[in-house]
Amino acid sequence: MADNTKKVIIDVNSGNITDEYSKDKVTLVGVYPFKDIPYADNIELVLNPENGEPISINFPYSGYSMQLFVGDFTGDNKSEIMVRGAFGGSGGFEIAVIYKYEDKRLIEIFNQDLVNQNNPCTAKYKDNYKVHVNCDDKKYSIDISSRPKEYLEQIYTPKGAVKPNYEPYVDSPNAIYPIKQVYNDAYQLLIQQRIVGIANADTLGVIETLASLINSEFEVIYKGLLLPQYNFDSRKVSKKLKTKNATNFF
């Protein structure tokens, strides 16, 4: 185990955070409690303005591969600070928190939990080898009838009726990417959430959401469904995402 009391620099970035034309420095510091493992805790975010006193806040999460991204998300011609990382574990859940500089303070305008709060999704097995997914006003139907017999027998009776054994669900975000199209002035967020079936490795699909933070407000621009193609055996499920065989009924 490493020295769990000594903070080190995790990442450094810079941008026009305090003013449209400023050159400000951002530093992420924390503790690596385990040797040779990129897990950090006791994390601190420090903003060094070009003009003014440093601002420091405690980051509320611990995680793996923590990093900084700086870019304009709100459309005000100034940059916001995005802290990214992963919680770890089999779910591979994403950490993504965005801060805006305002009145000599760093104010949180987004975190990964807001996705489920503002963009709720549910999934349910239906008779005749269907999975229905509801995401607010968007509804999708996934046909899983082509899955191997041994797979379907775990979920359905021989007549195609749903057994009470399993219930699919839409997981928390496993990816949140900052993206910027050439004709946009501000960055947007591309968010992915897995639809999980009979086990954590069983991905029925991926809900993909494009959202904006213009004026610091979370707004969904579009939502879509990606489907995996399976090579299923009793030991593992391998998958490759592709965008076909989905029915969008809304």
Side-chain angles (χ1 to χ4, degrees), residues 96-148:
V97 185
I98 298 177
Y99 295 94
K100 179 180 179 63
Y101 175 83
E102 190 173 290
D103 297 328
K104 299 182 179 181
R105 295 182 300 156
L106 289 175
I107 301 171
E108 180 183 308
I109 61 171
F110 174 84
N111 66 56
Q112 64 283 338
D113 297 329
L114 290 177
V115 177
N116 288 333
Q117 294 173 16
N118 293 279
N119 186 37
C121 295
T122 60
K124 191 174 185 64
Y125 287 118
K126 292 292 186 178
D127 291 344
N128 299 316
Y129 314 110
K130 297 291 194 301
V131 178
H132 285 186
V133 183
N134 294 340
C135 288
D136 203 6
D137 62 336
K138 306 294 184 182
K139 301 179 187 297
Y140 306 94
S141 179
I142 304 172
D143 186 344
I144 60 172
S145 61
S146 62
R147 298 290 176 89

Side-chain angles (χ1 to χ4, degrees), residues 173-197:
N174 67 297
I176 302 177
Y177 304 108
I179 65 169
K180 184 174 181 293
Q181 301 182 52
V182 293
Y183 49 80
N184 284 348
D185 293 328
Y187 281 87
Q188 298 169 329
L189 295 173
L190 185 65
I191 304 163
Q192 293 184 343
Q193 297 171 266
R194 295 191 310 127
I195 305 166
V196 181

Side-chain angles (χ1 to χ4, degrees), residues 60-243:
Y61 304 102
S62 302
Y64 293 83
S65 303
M66 303 302 299
Q67 57 189 262
L68 290 168
F69 177 84
V70 175
D72 181 10
F73 288 91
T74 62
D76 62 355
N77 296 319
K78 296 189 296 182
S79 292
E80 281 71 51
I81 304 166
M82 183 178 188
V83 184
R84 304 180 63 200
F87 284 111
S90 59
F93 301 133
E94 183 94 348
I95 298 171
V97 185
I98 298 177
Y99 295 94
K100 179 180 179 63
Y101 175 83
E102 190 173 290
D103 297 328
K104 299 182 179 181
R105 295 182 300 156
L106 289 175
I107 301 171
E108 180 183 308
I109 61 171
F110 174 84
N111 66 56
Q112 64 283 338
D113 297 329
L114 290 177
V115 177
N116 288 333
Q117 294 173 16
N118 293 279
N119 186 37
C121 295
T122 60
K124 191 174 185 64
Y125 287 118
K126 292 292 186 178
D127 291 344
N128 299 316
Y129 314 110
K130 297 291 194 301
V131 178
H132 285 186
V133 183
N134 294 340
C135 288
D136 203 6
D137 62 336
K138 306 294 184 182
K139 301 179 187 297
Y140 306 94
S141 179
I142 304 172
D143 186 344
I144 60 172
S145 61
S146 62
R147 298 290 176 89
K149 181 180 178 181
E150 62 182 277
Y151 175 93
L152 295 175
E153 285 176 344
Q154 299 180 70
I155 307 168
Y156 293 95
T157 68
K159 294 185 178 181
V162 178
K163 296 179 180 179
N165 304 37
Y166 301 101
E167 196 68 68
Y169 60 94
V170 179
D171 225 337
S172 297
N174 67 297
I176 302 177
Y177 304 108
I179 65 169
K180 184 174 181 293
Q181 301 182 52
V182 293
Y183 49 80
N184 284 348
D185 293 328
Y187 281 87
Q188 298 169 329
L189 295 173
L190 185 65
I191 304 163
Q192 293 184 343
Q193 297 171 266
R194 295 191 310 127
I195 305 166
V196 181
I198 61 176
N200 187 57
D202 179 23
T203 300
L204 300 174
V206 175
I207 297 296
E208 187 171 80
T209 304
L210 181 68
S212 78
L213 290 171
I214 296 297
N215 299 321
S216 303
E217 297 291 332
F218 181 85
E219 181 180 358
V220 174
I221 299 171
Y222 81 74
K223 192 184 309 295
L225 175 66
L226 303 176
L227 291 184
Q229 181 177 6
Y230 280 75
N231 293 317
F232 182 85
D233 61 31
S234 59
R235 295 165 296 173
K236 65 180 181 179
V237 178
S238 63
K239 52 190 179 294
K240 180 180 180 182
L241 286 177
K242 64 177 185 177
T243 57

Side-chain angles (χ1 to χ4, degrees), residues 1-8 30-35 41-42:
M1 179 177 291
D3 182 356
N4 61 5
T5 63
K6 184 178 179 181
K7 286 190 175 183
V8 298
V31 175
Y32 288 114
F34 307 106
K35 186 177 180 180
D41 62 11
N42 197 16

